[in-house]
Amino acid sequence: MIVILDFGSQYTQLIARRVREQKVYCEILPYNASIDVIRGKHPAGVILSGGPSSAVETAGKDDVYEPHPAVFTLGVPVLGVCYGHQIMARMLGGKVKRAPRREFGLSKMTLKSAGDLFVGIEPKFDVWMSHGDEVAALPHGFKTVGATENAPLAAIANTTKRLYGLQFHPEVSHTEHGNDIINNFLFEICGEAPDWQMAGWVARATAEIKVTVGSSKVLLALSGGVDSSVAAVLLHEAIGEQLLAVFVDTGLLKAGETERIRRLFGKRLEDSLITVDASVEFFAALKGITDPEKKRKAIGKTFIEVFEREAKRYQGVGFLAQGTLYTDVIESGRAASGMAHVIKTHHNVGGLPEKLNFKLLEPFKNLFKDEVRLLGKELDIAKEVVGRHPFPGPGFAVRILGEVTRERAHIIAEADAIIDEEIRREGIYDDIWQIFPVLTGAKSVGVVGDQRSYEEVLAIRAVTSVDGMTADWYRMPPSIMANIATRIVNELPNISRVVYDISSKPPATIEWE
Ligand code: XMP
């Protein structure tokens, strides 16, 4: 495995992605991880990430943001990237200084000598830079391998000790040959093999889960989404009937969701699958509420009440399992250095662990989303589950503007089913990140037969996205749009008009509420 020491760069996760894409396992540790912790991982190599601090300003100060110096004498190769390159140079006797010109964006790299990090790479290529400091004098035993116009020591190496520094970011897709450089580091220099496979991961994870859990029972909130579904199947493989996978029907879910869950998981999870119809409680909790934030709170609170009640029915529950991902762990600052700004505080099922006083079991806390999808495939989970569009926890409640009633939830579920059916039939499901109807609460006049009607306007929101952080509206072929709109106004008497949302995120969000 490879250890990545995190100095707080926005690209640290990207380094981990690039390494994992090469089928090499890696973990991100805080920059100041103790040398025993690092040694204990038995890494084949260490990568020092970039970061927001300045190797010039912190020199000689208390808050030096240095890795443990023994990192450089572990006997394994070290690759420093950007700040990692500068801090390595500084610690090993080189000099860093403010660069006369800051570099952000593309620069042309010229290789001075063929080094093992650049095997098979042409002598001139584009690299992505983002720095204000630079290495000004080589540390002892190092050579210059490459330079850009503004950074004469942009690539340095001590090949005897297998220490490498790059001012640019090989992990960023704009850097030409970035993957080749990372491959060279992993395979040529660290001697890794591309053999990190899901099958091996499953065997290790199930063994670990068994030991951790012992004879306790494990409770899991099964939503039917990718993460909780894969977690349920994995846990069932590991501990069988000790798993209690509780699916709560909030009344705000897609049409036929409970039946779908039973069909997809009934056989696989056997008696571990528990379905609870709590829709009466959810609609009661939502009665009279129109404010979006209050809706979310009412749903969260009701969910916890229902779940708590279910949990009390079983003896010996010691753990609550959650499908927390590596991204969530990193974003909440739990794994990494704490130097990167906390982007969001992660609450998978808001408030549950504290309320229930169980220990947390997070089998995916070292996996990325697409790795969970791969794991789903490895565990033979239906594509219908693994390739599913994301669905928000509060369900249709955030897509029904104004008061949420059982009647309106029924209308939106019907419209959603029509959209789903049509886009699957047209073969465009996988081109879209999310698509859904929104009950706008606006009313408009229509004419049905010879009668004037005055019913609700339904909006369709369809977006493409990579991670949900930014999104563009989906350019749906007009014939498919027309078909969906016609079906909705014909089949749902409470809808007078269909409109298509053409806002991108930002500034709009994906959901309307
Ligand atoms: P927004 O609306 O913030 O949505 O652009 C981004 C992604 O997050 C989902 N989303 C939620 N998921 N609970 C969830 O579990 C929520 O309260 C929630 N709000 C938004 C949304 O569906 C999209 O995928």
Side-chain angles (χ1 to χ4, degrees):
M1 66 95 69
I2 297 288
V3 161
I4 300 164
L5 293 182
D6 178 31
F7 291 87
S9 164
Q10 53 178 326
Y11 299 133
T12 306
Q13 272 199 60
L14 209 48
I15 300 178
R17 292 280 330 115
R18 296 286 174 258
V19 174
R20 297 252 185 118
E21 275 164 15
Q22 299 311 319
K23 297 196 166 54
V24 174
Y25 185 68
C26 64
E27 279 183 28
I28 300 175
L29 297 179
Y31 72 94
N32 55 358
S34 80
I35 199 65
D36 290 339
V37 167
I38 297 172
R39 253 197 216 109
K41 300 277 177 191
H42 305 290
V46 176
I47 299 178
L48 311 178
S49 85
S53 53
S54 161
V56 177
E57 285 168 15
T58 58
K61 303 233 173 88
D62 286 343
D63 50 350
V64 286
Y65 299 119
E66 288 177 350
H68 194 287
V71 160
F72 303 112
T73 51
L74 275 177
V76 302
V78 178
L79 173 66
V81 172
C82 196
Y83 178 82
H85 156 74
Q86 296 164 10
I87 201 69
M88 175 169 73
R90 187 181 90 185
M91 288 174 76
L92 298 178
K95 280 208 167 64
V96 282
K97 68 167 176 53
R98 273 252 163 268
R101 287 166 71 183
R102 301 185 334 157
E103 278 184 299
F104 292 97
L106 283 182
S107 288
K108 193 58 111 193
M109 174 83 179
T110 307
L111 293 181
K112 303 270 176 207
S113 61
D116 38 6
L117 197 55
F118 297 97
V119 170
I121 296 174
E122 57 199 287
K124 267 189 194 298
F125 57 98
D126 286 337
V127 295
W128 184 259
M129 295 282 211
S130 172
H131 70 115
D133 300 339
E134 66 178 11
V135 176
L138 285 172
H140 184 68
F142 276 72
K143 280 202 177 113
T144 310
V145 183
T148 62
E149 204 178 318
N150 293 313
L153 304 181
I156 62 173
N158 178 337
T159 41
T160 321
K161 297 212 164 125
R162 298 186 300 168
L163 306 173
Y164 304 83
L166 301 175
Q167 183 55 67
F168 63 90
H169 289 272
E171 70 276 21
V172 170
S173 60
H174 306 283
T175 291
E176 248 183 305
H177 304 298
N179 278 339
D180 297 331
I181 295 168
I182 290 172
N183 281 1
N184 283 340
F185 181 69
L186 298 175
F187 303 128
E188 305 294 328
I189 297 172
C190 298
E192 281 281 18
D195 57 4
W196 188 61
Q197 279 168 356
M198 269 304 156
W201 188 91
V202 172
R204 254 185 321 199
T206 45
E208 244 172 61
I209 291 167
K210 265 188 204 147
V211 173
T212 311
V213 168
S215 59
S216 290
K217 288 207 172 81
V218 177
L219 202 63
L220 169 87
L222 176 66
S223 72
V226 179
D227 306 334
S228 70
S229 301
V230 178
V233 171
L234 178 75
L235 284 163
H236 193 261
E237 301 270 302
I239 56 168
E241 312 273 287
Q242 280 166 259
L243 170 72
L244 306 166
V246 180
F247 170 80
V248 178
D249 182 356
T250 59
L252 303 161
L253 304 175
K254 286 173 167 283
E257 189 66 8
T258 306
E259 294 73 34
R260 185 179 297 116
I261 291 284
R262 289 209 185 103
R263 171 170 60 78
L264 288 170
F265 297 105
K267 262 208 189 118
R268 194 79 194 254
L269 299 179
E270 305 169 300
D271 289 344
S272 284
L273 177 63
I274 299 153
T275 58
V276 183
D277 181 355
S279 55
V280 172
E281 284 166 86
F282 279 90
F283 288 119
L286 286 165
K287 197 168 166 38
I289 300 179
T290 53
D291 178 83
E293 278 312 302
K294 286 190 181 140
K295 274 185 202 171
R296 271 201 168 75
K297 286 215 173 83
I299 292 169
K301 186 166 164 278
T302 311
F303 196 91
I304 290 174
E305 282 165 12
V306 171
F307 209 76
E308 240 182 335
R309 195 177 58 220
E310 284 305 308
K312 284 198 184 122
R313 291 157 54 132
Y314 304 94
Q315 299 292 313
V317 178
F319 292 87
L320 181 81
Q322 291 196 342
T324 315
L325 300 174
Y326 203 23
T327 334
D328 305 321
V329 175
I330 295 166
E331 283 185 356
S332 64
R334 270 158 58 191
S337 62
M339 287 175 72
H341 296 196
V342 173
I343 299 163
K344 68 173 182 195
T345 317
H346 176 70
H347 278 294
N348 214 337
V349 186
L352 263 180
E354 297 98 271
K355 274 282 246 209
L356 289 170
N357 205 18
F358 295 148
K359 282 183 228 155
L360 263 187
L361 191 65
E362 299 175 312
F364 305 154
K365 67 171 188 294
N366 287 326
L367 298 185
F368 288 102
K369 182 94 184 177
D370 54 332
E371 291 172 333
V372 173
R373 289 213 166 92
L374 275 179
L375 175 60
K377 280 191 200 146
E378 179 68 33
L379 290 168
D380 235 348
I381 298 175
K383 179 167 183 293
E384 191 179 340
V385 178
V386 190
R388 211 170 186 198
H389 291 173
F391 190 75
F396 286 139
V398 289
R399 297 171 180 174
I400 298 175
L401 278 57
E403 189 180 1
V404 179
T405 60
R406 191 181 278 276
E407 194 195 8
R408 294 183 81 202
H410 180 70
I411 296 169
I412 199 169
E414 295 275 301
D416 180 75
I418 292 172
I419 295 172
D420 207 80
E421 198 179 304
E422 289 300 322
I423 61 163
R424 284 181 197 274
R425 202 168 52 80
E426 298 285 354
I428 55 173
Y429 186 90
D430 293 334
D431 301 340
I432 304 172
W433 167 264
Q434 263 177 311
I435 179 166
F436 52 86
V438 176
L439 281 183
T440 62
K443 287 205 152 193
S444 85
V445 174
V447 51
V448 181
D450 290 333
Q451 300 272 324
R452 174 186 185 276
S453 74
Y454 185 55
E455 298 292 347
E456 191 159 355
V457 179
L458 180 141
I460 294 175
R461 176 75 161 143
V463 294
T464 53
S465 177
V466 178
D467 50 16
M469 305 290 282
T470 58
D472 196 8
W473 60 281
Y474 174 64
R475 276 36 170 196
M476 188 183 291
S479 60
I480 305 178
M481 257 190 210
N483 209 8
I484 291 175
T486 307
R487 276 197 64 190
I488 290 176
V489 286
N490 283 344
E491 294 173 34
L492 303 176
N494 309 78
I495 304 299
S496 62
R497 200 174 288 257
V498 175
V499 296
Y500 195 72
D501 183 346
I502 54 165
S503 340
S504 59
K505 172 184 180 175
T509 51
I510 294 177
E511 302 291 345
W512 274 39
E513 278 197 341

